Amino acid sequence: MSKVYFPTVNKIAYEGPQSTNPFAFKYYNPEEIVLGKPMKEHLRFSMAYWHTFTYMGNDPFGGASITREWDGGDPMTQAKERVHAAFEFMEKMGMEYFCFHDVDIAPRGATLEESNRNLDEIVDEIEAEMKRTGIKCLWGTTNAFGDAKFVHGASTSCNATVFAYTAAQIKKAMEVTKRLGGENYVFWGGREGYETLLNTDVNRELDHFAAMLKMAADYADKIGFTGQLMIEPKPKEPTRHQYDFDAQSVIGFLRKYGLEKRFVLNIEANHATLAQHSFQHELHMSRINGLLGSIDANMGDPILGWDTDQFPTNLYDATLCMYEVLQQGGIAPGGLNFDAKVRRASTDAEDLFLGHIAGMDTFARGLKVAAKMLEDKVFIKNIDERYASYNTELGATIENGTADFESLEQYALKNGVTKSPSGRQEMLESILNQYILEA
Amino acid sequence: MSKVYFPTVNKIAYEGPQSTNPFAFKYYNPEEIVLGKPMKEHLRFSMAYWHTFTYMGNDPFGGASITREWDGGDPMTQAKERVHAAFEFMEKMGMEYFCFHDVDIAPRGATLEESNRNLDEIVDEIEAEMKRTGIKCLWGTTNAFGDAKFVHGASTSCNATVFAYTAAQIKKAMEVTKRLGGENYVFWGGREGYETLLNTDVNRELDHFAAMLKMAADYADKIGFTGQLMIEPKPKEPTRHQYDFDAQSVIGFLRKYGLEKRFVLNIEANHATLAQHSFQHELHMSRINGLLGSIDANMGDPILGWDTDQFPTNLYDATLCMYEVLQQGGIAPGGLNFDAKVRRASTDAEDLFLGHIAGMDTFARGLKVAAKMLEDKVFIKNIDERYASYNTELGATIENGTADFESLEQYALKNGVTKSPSGRQEMLESILNQYILEA
Amino acid sequence: MSKVYFPTVNKIAYEGPQSTNPFAFKYYNPEEIVLGKPMKEHLRFSMAYWHTFTYMGNDPFGGASITREWDGGDPMTQAKERVHAAFEFMEKMGMEYFCFHDVDIAPRGATLEESNRNLDEIVDEIEAEMKRTGIKCLWGTTNAFGDAKFVHGASTSCNATVFAYTAAQIKKAMEVTKRLGGENYVFWGGREGYETLLNTDVNRELDHFAAMLKMAADYADKIGFTGQLMIEPKPKEPTRHQYDFDAQSVIGFLRKYGLEKRFVLNIEANHATLAQHSFQHELHMSRINGLLGSIDANMGDPILGWDTDQFPTNLYDATLCMYEVLQQGGIAPGGLNFDAKVRRASTDAEDLFLGHIAGMDTFARGLKVAAKMLEDKVFIKNIDERYASYNTELGATIENGTADFESLEQYALKNGVTKSPSGRQEMLESILNQYILEA
Amino acid sequence: MSKVYFPTVNKIAYEGPQSTNPFAFKYYNPEEIVLGKPMKEHLRFSMAYWHTFTYMGNDPFGGASITREWDGGDPMTQAKERVHAAFEFMEKMGMEYFCFHDVDIAPRGATLEESNRNLDEIVDEIEAEMKRTGIKCLWGTTNAFGDAKFVHGASTSCNATVFAYTAAQIKKAMEVTKRLGGENYVFWGGREGYETLLNTDVNRELDHFAAMLKMAADYADKIGFTGQLMIEPKPKEPTRHQYDFDAQSVIGFLRKYGLEKRFVLNIEANHATLAQHSFQHELHMSRINGLLGSIDANMGDPILGWDTDQFPTNLYDATLCMYEVLQQGGIAPGGLNFDAKVRRASTDAEDLFLGHIAGMDTFARGLKVAAKMLEDKVFIKNIDERYASYNTELGATIENGTADFESLEQYALKNGVTKSPSGRQEMLESILNQYILEA
């Protein structure tokens, strides 16, 4: 009989908006049909192994504030306990996906071989649990930023032996992700950037970065890994200035190196905040370039300058996120990964449940609001009307490339400028509130 | 006998670092040879017509705080007075270039025809003054952001008639720039962005923006305007979110629309600050992509969130800017345009001189420091050594594309990782100080 | 028969949450009883004369984008038209208060006498309209920041004659406010700060500032003006660094100069954002010091670094604001002044209505949510429990001042530390969402 | 014969500005007389025990990147090794002061008694080294933020037993500081603030905070500790919102609770940056309130939103800091504590020396520049002239309290406003550059 890690919490059920039971969903009703398919298929929620199972409350000014049932024991035993606790947790939450870095699931060994052996041993446990529960892997990735060897970067280290090591580590993580049926593989370049231009050859580093991605795509093809390959932008932290600054920077980089057919983007809310964009902006820029692959659903704090990775409880952000998702016809094969950790002061195991409930309810509500907004086409109609002048003869010549400066000058001299419609921002924001409250 | 607008100020002379005369250069010695050519040819200083001759101290909370000798009179008379004052000013400053928007030099008319007639009349005056003085035009541009018609954008307005009007206005400004021998033409998209995604079709707007740039390039070719065409990034203000966010965004945009052979970038220091980059970062990213065209030399305030356009007096920024310029072999046909205005409280005409002296002295010092840094190769040597591992057999396979995940894994399993050299940031910053103080 | 300025808009009625009529309230139902009194008495909405009746869409990069029915004509005629339009607007909106600066209502004259005469003439019109409609004055203030003479500050100018002029201007504005029955008088120190410490005697300026406030309080007493005197904090803009940085700075300043019995604070949401605080933080710090006097209800944009003064449509901010207000037993004699302007692109007169509807509905909903939160005491109970240890014998010695280091060391050596309860932030944020959606 | 921890580095000597020896001072010449006393007495440089001897390169995304000669061994042995290494380091650097937290020097024990015993044992070692070398203690402090028990705060924890424990810990640290002859004792409230107002009783927490400070002052008196007691402001991090936000907040807090006679401020450069102030601003506000006690000399990065604690190499900040220090007649009994750590990528022991050399040279230059600025009175004279109108009869009535609104209105009606002098900011910044370069 296996150990129970969360004895005080039962499977979380949907109880509806009037429930005062903290351990129940108020809005997330997984089988409820929205726009023709169950909520859970729209949302594809995923647990982030690192935050939920390895974060102990450490921050730059303090050590662990949290203890867990699986603490203690030798690293491999603890890693196995974590697997069982994680699947118990996901089952109780009703989450069907998880995401992981190699080092989250298995302890780094003294050598690459040992690390790889550790991985293989733990992956056996995970596979068994996946089989038992039906829970799936949304994506895997490599932690090529935490260890001392990555101090100057991984793909962009000044040290070629670190580049080689990184390649080997990604190779293994990609193999493991394939074995676990992972639907995506993510690259987050935590140390791919610079601290000071006084000691950095940016051009050479970017070439190396692109070389690594090219090799990764080639290797995915070689082993038949058919999941999406994704880059996750972040402007800074830990590095002072990261190369994958934001969606537009990454898209430009992909185009420069001819990688835009092979990689898409994994957009994180908190990284958008750090780049002075809204979450919706990053999703939107990715989507209209056909490059929105998956989402890290969390929340930052606009008055703080670092990655707080909070559970997403902002109804506006969740609504506008799901509005982008619905407009591109869904997020699959990506999903909504809770790259979120409980606050350092949320010290109980129960807070892991409460945090995920908070996030899942928020996005469930956001989904329903967005679906209603899309069905009613209230914003879409308004936009179509605003640009109506581009459906005229003049507009057509601009859009079909037959206009030139002379033809347009002729037009302007003859016709001048017509009055533009009001932008109506206040009314639109008011309508958005009404949808959030009444959907 | 023509009117004298700055009777209390004589031609500004170089008096050296010990001078306490506020109306003298302490570091800018135009004919002094640095790295084989006169300072002035390295620096190519340009006066910004708008800040120096039309800024009256207005800000969002207050009206004009400044009066000028050329105030009053009807708009065309005032515009002509400004021309004469501007050339007197540039002569006294020893500045050989100027930059302008169409509406800086001639009043906007009630119609496009009248605006164009006004422009022609004033351009006659300017041409005469250019001939008399030998002063040249660095670049021209269109103000397609100030007038009410641009409330939703110019190229990216939802109103096609505004697009047409913008095209006509750019056409004229480009003709005028050509007539004045302008060496560049700049596009700053002040209103090309969005206020809220609730009412915006970003994709369509970006297509329109690219269409306008394509037409502009075609028209330049048609009329034989051979100057550089430049885009100037800015992340926000006046628009909440501008499409030309920063250098990397613009470079990505140019690549997406196949415009990267025809446009380069005009980098402004204060816009870098607003985008959370250093000035050097924006210059560097442009340079290593072969797209650094010209520079708006000013300074922002890192604790303020808007474009303060201060005269650049930061020795670090000026040094690192000139270091980028020297590394690309000079900034011509671009230059250093002082897109800077005197503080609202610097209310005397004399402050125009004092502000430009401050900026020119700072960049002159920066040039000499950068030249010494480049000659001594102290930073370059350090960088070369850091990346030495890429000159080994392993590094070569990575850089020449013959490595793959299997070969690199083999290497890593066999050799592990060698120790990386220290980044030495503290030492490098200390050396930079020493160069600034002792160059 | 008087002119109608907003012919297309009728009196705005409450139609409830399902209404799709943009010109109706969905949540603001003025006579609805909440916690024992009508909504309108809780909310005390006020129109800001400057934004609604003098803002023409100007911004730092562009001129007017808006035209109004009362444009044109000589300044005094236009000022009178504005009075009639303003009262028509407030009647149609059902707003019972307004706020004004002296220069909003009457044009500044060439001399102080003329300015004062203009004021008297317009105040006659306003008084008549107030009598006719029953609309009241929430507060008056002086614009001592816009004119060129205030370039170095008003009370804190280096120029003593500007100090004298400011005193005279405040004197008149205070008399006018008294005549109009204003319930408060506000001091916002738009230019009271510094641009650079290189030219500023901060200590002397702060002494002057305090001297002005002292004289103002004395004069209020003398003329029997019994309204609240209020200081409105703002960290920056237009000044680089303002003395009234935030609530805590102002409270400290008041205590230093012995003014804390005579002045309270007027807290603006957008100013909180600029100071890196939440709106609730500024309200809370004022409230717990007994110094929360009134509220400027608007909204900033966390990704922009300037005062955007948007209509407040954020449900979280409105809810938490009203939660603070209810906890102090109401905001009277202060109110909720919409220090908010329509976006520059909201170019129709109708947008004035739509903007105010958006703000009023948001705060009405916020009031109801906050009232329910307070009635249920859900957050209050949780807080009481968190601090329960302070109700023990140990806690009592700390709070009543009988503990000292020795007694506490004794306790710690003997008893150590008990486990602290979890902070439960995720659960609390989830509950807040539920209240917002279901209240 | 004792172990040598830094065998490759000899005592750092002054070699002057032309030296290219990285292990030499270029500007810091300790015995050189500036304004009548040796440089070292002006600067009172102090080593921060935590950064230099316990920082291993950890950051939120990575573990240790650095190894040290004293690594390994049991915690007490390692602590003793650190003492010897620290004094070798300070001797070689020629630093005469150090600062410490209790937990930097001795490992935290399982109980308070054990922690205290560990402290006593290590303090014996330190005392011996102090005696041997003549090096002194600038200040001591308590780390009441790192351990799990402080998760909700120390003095402001919701848990009274944590308050008691904190008191006991401060008591011991204060006793140790007294024993070591520490000239100051510092309170930095790392966890004294809130994460969310939804679970916080701010008013009660502030009362507790004040109670703790009161007890600390009483205990200092009791044991005859005559050093300065200091509060160190910081706006955020680790806490979302800290009570000691900035100098003005802290000064207001001290006044509220009647503590302003007993506490002064320890100003840190990087904390100023995080609060959107300049370093000089925080120094200046403290100084003009008579409350500038000591300085944490480091540097933040204006584009990053967290405490980077870099070695201070900015010549502007160092100059303006020393200008404030000289204007208050020196910083003693405070000093300049390098609350700075080498970059995570500065992985060699030698970088500890290079970092401190960078900082000491920068401040040495800053001192000489500031001394020259003060001697020449160039900025002071300009300021005196700007405020000259306050030396007139009108000005005197304002400053001596005899003016009132009526007298000032009389003046304004009769005399109007005289022209204010230009602020001359550009000229002043240019002069500052000249001083930095030529002093």
Side-chain angles (χ1 to χ4, degrees), chain D residues 186-189 230-236 242-251 264-272 274-275 277 282 286 294 296:
Chain D
V186 166
F187 295 81
W188 173 61
M230 302 199 287
I231 295 188
E232 180 176 325
K234 188 179 181 186
K236 54 184 174 183
Q242 291 186 210
Y243 296 133
D244 298 332
F245 193 82
D246 61 5
Q248 281 178 278
S249 297
V250 171
I251 293 169
V264 294
L265 274 66
N266 184 41
I267 294 299
E268 176 174 328
N270 201 154
H271 296 178
L274 290 172
H277 302 302
E282 288 291 272
S286 304
S294 193
D296 270 14

Side-chain angles (χ1 to χ4, degrees), chain D residues 252-268:
Chain D
F253 169 85
L254 292 175
R255 286 211 172 88
K256 177 177 178 182
Y257 288 99
L259 297 165
E260 75 275 19
K261 303 280 188 240
R262 202 58 187 88
F263 288 82
V264 294
L265 274 66
N266 184 41
I267 294 299
E268 176 174 328

Side-chain angles (χ1 to χ4, degrees), chain C residues 126-303:
Chain C
I126 292 177
E127 253 189 337
E129 285 290 87
M130 289 172 73
K131 197 165 172 190
R132 182 181 66 77
T133 61
I135 289 169
K136 289 162 281 186
C137 173
L138 186 66
W139 49 259
T141 188
T142 312
N143 179 326
F145 47 87
D147 193 67
K149 68 174 73 69
F150 304 117
V151 68
H152 302 300
S155 308
T156 65
S157 173
C158 54
N159 183 341
T161 68
V162 173
F163 184 101
Y165 193 97
T166 304
Q169 202 181 325
I170 295 174
K171 177 174 176 290
K172 179 68 181 178
M174 199 177 266
E175 290 160 5
V176 163
T177 302
K178 179 172 186 292
R179 184 177 156 202
L180 295 176
E183 302 184 23
N184 307 271
Y185 188 88
V186 167
F187 295 82
W188 172 61
R191 302 270 176 207
E192 316 298 19
Y194 65 83
E195 295 299 318
T196 171
L197 291 171
L198 293 178
N199 71 11
T200 307
D201 187 334
V202 174
N203 209 20
R204 206 166 184 182
E205 293 199 0
L206 288 172
D207 285 351
H208 297 167
F209 193 19
M212 180 69 82
L213 295 173
K214 176 81 171 48
M215 288 183 214
D218 290 347
Y219 191 69
D221 292 344
K222 180 161 187 182
I223 65 172
F225 176 72
T226 57
Q228 289 186 126
L229 304 181
M230 302 199 286
I231 295 188
E232 179 175 326
K234 188 178 182 187
K236 53 184 175 182
E237 199 208 23
T239 302
R240 176 172 178 271
H241 204 291
Q242 290 185 210
Y243 295 133
D244 297 333
F245 192 82
D246 60 6
Q248 281 178 279
S249 297
V250 171
I251 292 168
F253 168 85
L254 292 175
R255 286 211 172 88
K256 177 176 177 182
Y257 288 100
L259 297 165
E260 76 276 19
K261 304 280 187 238
R262 202 61 186 88
F263 288 81
V264 294
L265 274 67
N266 184 42
I267 295 299
E268 176 173 328
N270 202 153
H271 296 178
T273 307
L274 291 173
Q276 295 190 355
H277 302 304
S278 68
F279 181 25
Q280 190 190 6
H281 172 85
E282 289 290 272
L283 296 165
H284 193 86
M285 297 313 289
S286 304
R287 176 171 72 81
I288 65 174
N289 280 284
L291 294 170
L292 174 57
S294 194
I295 293 170
D296 269 13
N298 62 11
M299 179 169 77
D301 189 322
I303 72 169

Side-chain angles (χ1 to χ4, degrees), chain B residues 59-65 145-146 148 151-152 188 191 234 236-238 240-241 301 303-307 344-345 347, chain C residues 59-65 145-146 148 151-152 188 191 234 236-238 240-241 301 303-307 344-345 347:
Chain B
D59 76 9
F61 292 84
S65 62
F145 48 88
V151 69
H152 301 300
W188 172 60
R191 303 271 175 204
K234 188 178 181 187
K236 53 185 176 183
E237 199 206 26
R240 177 173 177 269
H241 204 292
D301 190 321
I303 72 170
L304 299 181
W306 63 89
D307 210 9
R344 188 176 188 264
T347 45
Chain C
D59 76 8
F61 291 84
S65 63
F145 47 87
V151 68
H152 302 300
W188 172 61
R191 302 270 176 207
K234 188 178 182 187
K236 53 184 175 182
E237 199 208 23
R240 176 172 178 271
H241 204 291
D301 189 322
I303 72 169
L304 299 182
W306 63 91
D307 210 8
R344 187 175 189 268
T347 45

